[in-house]
Amino acid sequence: MKTRLPLIAGNWKMNGDSARARELCNALVSRSPHWPTLNGQKVDVAVFPPFVSLPAAHEALKDSDIVLGAQNMHEAVSGAYTGEVSAAMLLTAGCQMVILGHSERRQLFGETDLGVNRKAQAALAAGLKPIICIGETLAERESGQTNAVIEGQLRGSLAGLTKEQLQKVTIAYEPVWAIGTGRVATVEQAGEVHRFMRGWIESRFDTDTANGIRILYGGSVKADNARSLLANPDIDGALVGGASLNADEFDAIIRASV
Ligand code: PEP
C-alpha cells in the first residue's frame, strides 16, 4: 500500500525544439484529467525540457498541475560562467524543480558528488526542488559494490543538508546500466536499493524524514514495465527518459503509478 504520492518525471534530455515542447505539453495537459489519485490527491507529474524550450513549455502548462523543471543548473547566483544557467534564471522561466547529478552529466561532463551537493544547496536556497540522481555502473554492481557506491553518492550529494531541506528533495535511483539501454532493474533489485537508501536516510537523519522522502526509480521505464515497478511500496514514482517523449507512453506510465 502506497503512502507517498507518486511523482512521474519526464526527462526530455537534448530532444525536440520549442514547437515540439508545446505540442508535447498540450498533449499531456489534455490527458491530465484522467490521471489517478492517491488519498484524493492527483499524482504529481513533472517535465524537464531543454533550457531553450522552457518558456514554450511554461506557457503550455500554465493552467495545469504539471510541474516544470530543468535538467541542470549552475550553483553560482550569477557571474562569468559562460554557457551556464542559474537557479534564479530557472525560477523566472517557470521552473519549480531541477534534476541534479544525472548519470549522463556525471559520466559525460565530469560532475562529482561535491558539485552535485553545491548545486543542491544553491537550488534549495533559491526555492527550487532538486531531484538528485544516484546510481551504480554495471561494473560496480557486478563487483558487489552497489551499496557502497550508493552510500558514497548519498553522503556526498546530501552533505550538510538539513532535515527541513531534505523534505524538498527527491532522490532518483538510476542504475547507470539501465538508462537508455532497454535493460530494466527487476522490481527486487530496485526495491532492495530503495530500501537501502531509505535506511541510510533514516540513520543519517530520522524516521520521519526517511518515510517522507520520495525515491523514484529511473532506467528504461516504459508503459509495459511501469505497473510492476510502481506497485512496489518502496518505489515512489519514476524518472522517465526516452518514454517521456511520447505523450501516450508517458500517459500510460502515469496511469500505472497508483
Ligand atoms: C533518464 O534519463 O533519467 C532515464 C532513466 O532514461 P531512460 O528512461 O531512457 O532509460
Side-chain angles (χ1 to χ4, degrees):
M1 165 77 184
K2 283 205 177 297
T3 50
R4 291 168 289 271
L5 188 68
L7 166 63
I8 307 297
N11 172 19
W12 296 1
K13 312 196 188 196
M14 196 173 73
N15 290 295
D17 56 11
S18 293
R20 177 72 188 122
R22 200 173 295 115
E23 188 184 22
L24 196 42
C25 287
N26 287 336
L28 294 175
V29 172
S30 70
R31 286 160 175 78
S32 63
H34 308 291
W35 291 345
T37 57
L38 180 73
N39 301 328
Q41 260 191 294
K42 199 179 257 192
V43 294
D44 284 330
V45 174
V47 293
F48 298 78
F51 288 137
V52 294
S53 298
L54 289 172
H58 183 45
E59 174 64 23
L61 298 177
K62 68 177 186 304
D63 296 322
S64 81
D65 297 333
I66 303 172
V67 167
L68 185 65
Q71 299 171 19
N72 183 32
M73 55 169 265
H74 193 275
E75 68 267 29
V77 171
S78 63
Y81 301 103
T82 302
E84 294 291 331
V85 172
S86 72
M89 292 171 186
L90 295 180
L91 283 165
T92 58
C95 291
Q96 297 176 49
M97 300 187 81
V98 62
I99 296 172
L100 298 178
H102 190 280
S103 69
E104 287 153 14
R105 296 221 51 91
R106 291 178 187 262
Q107 294 205 310
L108 304 174
F109 303 99
E111 291 206 4
T112 61
D113 293 327
L114 179 62
V116 172
N117 181 245
R118 287 193 182 126
K119 290 182 182 197
Q121 300 271 10
L124 289 163
L128 277 178
K129 294 180 177 167
I131 296 182
I132 299 179
C133 302
I134 304 285
E136 81 289 358
T137 63
L138 188 58
E140 288 163 344
R141 173 165 282 269
E142 287 180 345
S143 58
Q145 297 175 69
T146 300
N147 287 357
V149 170
I150 299 296
E151 182 172 356
Q153 290 184 7
L154 283 174
R155 186 183 290 113
S157 304
L158 303 182
L161 297 191
T162 63
K163 282 191 282 193
E164 291 67 33
Q165 285 177 311
L166 218 60
Q167 287 169 13
K168 300 195 166 59
V169 171
T170 299
I171 305 286
Y173 169 52
E174 295 216 311
V176 177
W177 46 272
I179 298 176
T181 58
R183 187 173 168 183
V184 195
T186 63
V187 178
E188 292 69 32
Q189 284 172 323
E192 196 181 335
V193 175
H194 283 227
R195 280 190 297 282
F196 176 77
M197 288 177 153
R198 207 175 297 285
W200 184 86
I201 291 166
E202 182 171 20
S203 66
R204 171 69 182 74
F205 295 88
D206 60 27
T207 304
D208 284 351
T209 308
N211 286 339
I213 194 164
R214 283 193 288 208
I215 306 179
L216 314 184
Y217 167 76
S220 298
V221 176
K222 306 274 184 261
D224 63 5
N225 58 31
R227 193 167 293 282
S228 60
L229 284 161
L230 295 168
N232 185 308
D234 295 307
I235 301 179
D236 308 320
L239 180 53
V240 185
S244 70
L245 294 167
N246 178 305
D248 286 331
E249 184 91 9
F250 195 54
D251 173 67
I253 294 169
I254 296 164
R255 286 173 184 242
S257 64
V258 177

